[in-house]
Amino acid sequence: MKHLLSLRETDAADIRRILETAAAFKEILRRPVKKVPTLRGKSVVTLFYESSTRTRTSFELAAKYMSADAVNIAVAQSSVTKGESLKDTLRTLEALTADCVIIRHSSSGAAHLAAQCVRIPVINAGDGRHEHPTQALLDILTIWEHKIVGREDDTYPRALSSERPFDLRGLTVAIVGDLAHSRVARSNVWGLTKLGATVRWVGPKTLLPADAHQLPVRVHTRLEEALEGADVVMALRLQTERQEKGLLPSLREYSRIWGISPRTLRYARPDALVMHPGPMNRGVEISAEVADGEGGIRAAIEEQVTNGVAVRMACLYLLMGEMMGAGE
Amino acid sequence: MEQRQVMDAEEMRRAITRIAHEILEKNRGAQNLALVGILRRGAPLAERLAAIIEQIEGVRVPVGKVDIALYRDDYPERQPVVGRTEVPFDINEKAIVLVDEVFFTGRTVRAAITALVDLGRPANIQLAVLIDRGHRELPIRPDYVGKNLPTARAEHVAVLLKEIDGEDCVYIRKPGA
């Protein structure tokens, strides 16, 4: 594994390797001193062409907990505004002796282009409508913890993943909402199905991607049908500008038909886990009661964020090791 | 590959029992004592020592395990699989006995000490090993040794444990032969 660009191109063995490493790294996050010396003297650059709080902070903290130096480039204040191309920006970062670049861009395929420009590893932190692999990996880690290990199992994190393999066969994950614009939904389809889970997509017809039939996913148009028997319900963020573009009649109607609330959650299994990649529009795609896990509802939204740090530590560890000629 | 058995299950059992007695003698009992095995094969050895100490003293000492993958000094050359550090007790002010199967260059133990002090400040750290095969490269020496085994640097010492390998024995393997 040289880069992490998409889960479509990452095989199941590498996905499992990242998840196993991430599960081991969670222990570091619980220490009084959250730092290991492994990536000392290495530098990680986050290059974000789109706004982000959690993903960028998560990558920066992951790098710092591994003792790497993390530098953030705020594109709005950079030479990109002077017209520098993506290729030249990346070559400059490499010449500045960066050891890894994490890129977010509004164009699908930007991370692949970046990877062709430089010799250092590139991690895709979201490219257009294409993929957001680390988000899907943290979602899968969270699903594994809840559905395979069990939150009540006090042997975790002691239970080795060899005893609790990353095998999701028999699990059904329903992803609800704006699928046409969601790179999170796409990465999750590839990652989850490679580990054996069944994935269903459901949302208004105007928000379904045209190529959904080419993906290993079952597409539904009624929420009740998609949620029936689901072990995991993942609500996607609805970008409010979609309504302005005429894809939705109103947010209120969207919320009533597609919003995850205690009422609609009744279609899923009683122990269904609710997830959301954030940031949430409370009262639109997810109700406040569900988001806060009230009344026995299982929501894992904050755990997802914590797992994101562990997953990104694992990605940095594995990719920066490969770069130095290690690995198999 | 030529291999020669240097310890059988019974010899291993006696050596581990003796180490348990020595640990108790030196620490004047099991008060304030804790064992930490270095993954992978140090971990079951630490469990065995704790079981013997419990038989002798009637006290169950805390047992942990530490993974040193993130603390190695050879990370750029080899990228080890990360195991799970698990020290489910407060190590501050405790007497910690690190446990490993083979003592060779001392670099593993150096890494384990660094990993341990990241978790707190023990009163002291001691080292118990089943085999001391020589060739140390750092000023570190074990406090408790099951067997001193002179070896050539190119030889490989394999400690097999029932918990991991299904049997208890120690082999020396000569390369190439």
Side-chain angles (χ1 to χ4, degrees):
Chain A
M1 208 168 44
K2 167 111 175 70
H3 306 285
L4 180 63
L5 303 177
S6 70
L7 291 192
R8 182 183 190 159
E9 297 153 295
T10 308
D11 63 32
D14 279 338
I15 291 174
R16 289 197 172 93
R17 192 156 157 239
I18 297 169
L19 294 171
E20 274 164 24
T21 308
F25 283 173
K26 284 195 79 176
E27 176 266 329
I28 297 166
L29 300 177
R30 282 188 289 265
R31 292 184 188 178
V33 179
K34 311 187 278 288
K35 210 171 185 79
V36 293
T38 316
L39 296 179
R40 210 174 32 175
K42 302 288 166 214
S43 53
V44 173
V45 177
T46 56
L47 178 61
F48 276 54
Y49 289 83
E50 276 187 339
S51 61
S52 159
T53 310
R54 81 192 62 218
T55 306
R56 188 174 54 73
T57 310
S58 179
F59 269 111
E60 279 192 45
L61 288 175
K64 288 177 174 173
Y65 294 158
M66 302 296 285
S67 294
D69 294 302
V71 179
N72 169 47
I73 296 179
V75 167
Q77 295 147 33
S78 73
S79 50
V80 172
T81 57
K82 299 179 185 169
E84 190 177 51
S85 71
L86 179 65
K87 185 173 179 177
D88 288 330
T89 303
L90 279 152
R91 291 226 170 129
T92 304
L93 294 178
E94 191 173 38
L96 285 166
T97 74
D99 295 298
C100 180
V101 175
I102 292 145
I103 183 167
R104 167 168 291 188
H105 201 285
S106 57
S107 298
S108 304
H112 283 78
L113 177 64
Q116 285 164 15
C117 300
V118 289
R119 288 179 299 271
I120 55 177
V122 173
I123 298 179
N124 182 4
D127 61 330
R129 302 175 179 188
H130 177 232
E131 284 223 33
H132 188 354
T134 57
Q135 175 68 41
L137 289 166
L138 73 89
D139 289 336
I140 297 168
L141 181 63
T142 310
I143 292 170
W144 174 77
E145 286 179 351
H146 276 262
K147 296 295 169 186
I148 307 295
V149 179
R151 208 186 344 191
E152 294 75 24
D153 186 342
D154 63 2
T155 63
Y156 183 74
R158 276 177 281 160
L160 285 168
S161 35
S162 57
E163 298 155 25
R164 310 277 186 164
F166 287 93
D167 180 351
L168 305 183
R169 275 177 295 184
L171 287 183
T172 300
V173 179
I175 306 180
V176 185
D178 181 3
L179 297 150
H181 303 91
S182 179
R183 51 200 177 204
V184 174
R186 237 166 239 276
S187 285
N188 263 301
V189 165
W190 292 115
L192 285 164
T193 55
K194 282 179 182 186
L195 300 188
T198 303
V199 183
R200 298 177 188 161
W201 274 6
V202 64
K205 278 186 185 157
T206 49
L207 294 178
L208 287 174
D211 68 340
H213 62 279
Q214 292 167 1
L215 301 172
V217 64
R218 204 169 303 163
V219 180
H220 296 260
T221 47
R222 287 186 54 227
L223 188 65
E224 184 173 354
E225 204 178 275
L227 261 49
E228 193 191 341
D231 300 279
V232 178
V233 178
M234 197 181 288
L236 297 173
R237 172 179 167 76
L238 181 76
Q239 292 180 346
T240 44
E241 55 269 30
R242 305 292 174 231
Q243 189 202 344
E244 289 147 27
K245 287 183 186 157
L247 297 170
L248 296 171
S250 79
L251 290 182
R252 226 175 105 193
E253 191 204 81
Y254 181 89
S255 167
R256 190 167 50 78
I257 299 176
W258 306 103
I260 302 304
S261 64
R263 177 180 59 84
T264 52
L265 203 53
R266 273 199 294 271
Y267 303 138
R269 281 174 57 102
D271 63 349
L273 181 70
V274 180
M275 301 173 73
H276 191 295
M280 289 186 280
N281 295 305
R282 280 173 183 256
V284 182
E285 71 268 4
I286 189 165
S287 76
E289 301 98 298
V290 174
D292 296 330
E294 285 171 14
I297 289 168
R298 294 166 159 226
I301 295 154
E302 278 144 37
E303 289 165 57
Q304 288 173 266
V305 177
T306 306
N307 283 344
V309 181
V311 158
R312 288 166 183 130
M313 287 165 73
C315 293
L316 292 174
Y317 172 73
L318 294 169
L319 287 175
M320 292 172 85
E322 303 272 325
M323 174 189 66
M324 290 179 280
E328 292 96 328
Chain B
M1 197 178 349
E2 186 189 327
Q3 67 176 35
R4 175 165 59 90
Q5 186 174 315
V6 288
M7 269 181 125
D8 62 20
E10 195 54 23
E11 286 166 324
M12 282 172 69
R13 188 188 61 75
R14 288 199 199 98
I16 295 165
T17 307
R18 175 173 51 75
I19 291 173
H21 280 282
E22 285 176 3
I23 290 171
L24 289 170
E25 188 183 0
K26 181 163 176 185
N27 291 279
R28 299 194 175 86
Q31 294 307 318
N32 207 37
L33 196 64
L35 305 178
V36 174
I38 301 174
L39 285 173
R40 279 173 76 209
R41 288 184 173 70
L45 283 176
E47 292 288 352
R48 291 192 199 183
L49 283 169
I52 298 167
I53 287 171
E54 189 173 8
Q55 280 172 24
I56 303 167
E57 292 286 295
V59 178
R60 179 74 198 169
V61 298
V63 182
K65 52 193 174 189
V66 69
D67 179 75
I68 59 141
L70 301 175
Y71 294 88
R72 300 186 70 101
D73 55 12
D74 56 355
Y75 169 78
E77 283 86 52
R78 40 184 293 182
Q79 185 184 35
V81 174
V82 182
R84 239 166 258 189
T85 291
E86 178 211 324
V87 181
F89 50 86
D90 182 6
I91 70 163
N92 283 298
E93 301 310 319
K94 280 220 161 46
I96 305 281
V97 181
L98 273 175
V99 183
D100 205 1
E101 87 273 33
V102 177
F103 185 76
F104 183 24
T105 61
R107 288 178 193 267
T108 303
V109 175
R110 197 282 309 159
I113 292 170
T114 313
L116 211 52
V117 297
D118 266 4
L119 303 177
R121 186 181 187 280
N124 61 66
I125 300 176
Q126 303 161 38
L127 175 62
V129 296
L130 185 62
I131 304 288
D132 181 353
R133 58 167 295 189
H135 307 287
R136 74 199 49 174
E137 294 168 359
L138 294 172
I140 293 171
R141 61 164 178 76
D143 301 275
Y144 314 100
V145 178
K147 187 182 179 71
N148 281 296
L149 191 65
T151 58
R153 185 172 268 276
E155 286 172 332
H156 177 71
V157 176
V159 173
L160 305 190
L161 296 177
K162 225 179 274 163
E163 295 88 333
I164 294 172
D165 312 289
E167 59 172 328
D168 277 348
C169 61
V170 182
Y171 287 110
I172 290 189
R173 287 174 183 155
K174 289 195 200 322

